[in-house]
Amino acid sequence: MKKRVIATALVAAMLMGTVLSASGCSSEANDGKTHITMLQYKPEAVKAFEQMEEEFNATHDDIVLKIESPNDAMTVLKTRFIKEDVPDIIGIGGDVNFSNFVDAEMLMDISDFEGLSLIKDAYKEIDKNLEFVPTEGVYAVPYVANAAGVLYNKDMFEENGWEIPTTWDEFMSLCETI
């Protein structure tokens, strides 16, 4: 059977304890501590993750968190999957890799994670929309939400009588209309 991994990243440092306590892939070294490995692929966030690792380890005596941020992290992650040396937690973007991992049943269903109740439904829906094959369960927790912006053709909007959306739901509705 394939070794599974939690496809979640840090929602916030305070939620980390809950995420880690639910992890089934962690290991215990000879030091009696639980060792958790996270692999993340956002080079622009390395310093933030290093700080989270430091703060987490300073406040948890029985858990050691190691966050890895290798160059070409997706290749490293796929290689680790093949070698069955998967990290306990992965931080990946909302791209084709996420859907491929869900479709290949490489990720663990975290529907019972208590921290999900603290996440806006719209953010959880984004993850569901990334799945090529709709799958029951929750396989990701967003750790950040951002948008670079949306460009639109003002003349086309005027010609079609479309209103400029001001909320995510309005935007999604307009996309479906278009």
Side-chain angles (χ1 to χ4, degrees):
M1 178 178 252
K2 297 176 188 172
K3 189 172 179 185
R4 294 179 183 240
V5 64
I6 296 176
T8 185
L10 304 174
V11 175
M14 67 182 200
L15 289 179
M16 188 68 150
T18 307
V19 173
L20 296 177
S21 68
S23 174
C25 301
S26 61
S27 63
E28 224 174 271
N30 292 337
D31 59 7
K33 298 180 179 182
T34 300
H35 289 256
I36 305 292
T37 303
M38 175 182 175
L39 188 141
Q40 72 88 24
Y41 88 124
K42 297 189 74 65
E44 68 274 15
V46 170
K47 290 196 185 305
F49 279 104
E50 287 173 348
Q51 182 178 350
M52 285 183 222
E53 176 185 328
E54 184 179 320
E55 290 175 8
F56 182 86
N57 288 330
T59 58
H60 294 80
D61 295 331
D62 57 341
I63 302 172
V64 176
L65 173 64
K66 174 68 178 150
I67 301 178
E68 301 171 358
S69 304
N71 292 329
D72 202 9
M74 196 51 61
T75 299
V76 170
L77 179 61
K78 289 176 181 179
T79 301
R80 288 183 66 173
F81 277 154
I82 291 167
K83 292 182 172 187
E84 295 186 12
D85 176 31
V86 295
D88 302 297
I89 303 169
I90 61 174
I92 62 174
D95 60 17
V96 67
N97 290 301
F98 172 74
S99 183
N100 289 340
F101 294 155
V102 172
D103 292 348
E105 299 180 355
M106 297 295 296
L107 306 179
M108 187 173 103
D109 181 0
I110 56 169
S111 298
D112 58 350
F113 171 51
E114 292 176 19
L116 290 175
S117 65
L118 302 173
I119 300 168
K120 292 182 179 183
D121 289 337
Y123 296 148
K124 291 184 278 190
E125 189 63 28
I126 290 170
D127 292 335
K128 294 309 292 177
N129 289 333
L130 293 171
E131 296 175 5
F132 289 144
V133 178
T135 305
E136 288 295 319
V138 177
Y139 297 90
V141 175
Y143 69 92
V144 69
N146 60 14
V150 177
L151 304 176
Y152 67 97
N153 182 320
K154 183 178 176 181
D155 294 335
M156 184 183 287
F157 269 65
E158 288 175 5
E159 289 171 15
N160 290 286
W162 297 328
E163 294 290 322
I164 298 170
T166 59
T167 67
W168 182 257
D169 289 338
E170 289 175 6
F171 178 72
M172 294 307 294
S173 177
L174 178 61
C175 287
E176 289 173 11
T177 299
I178 293 174

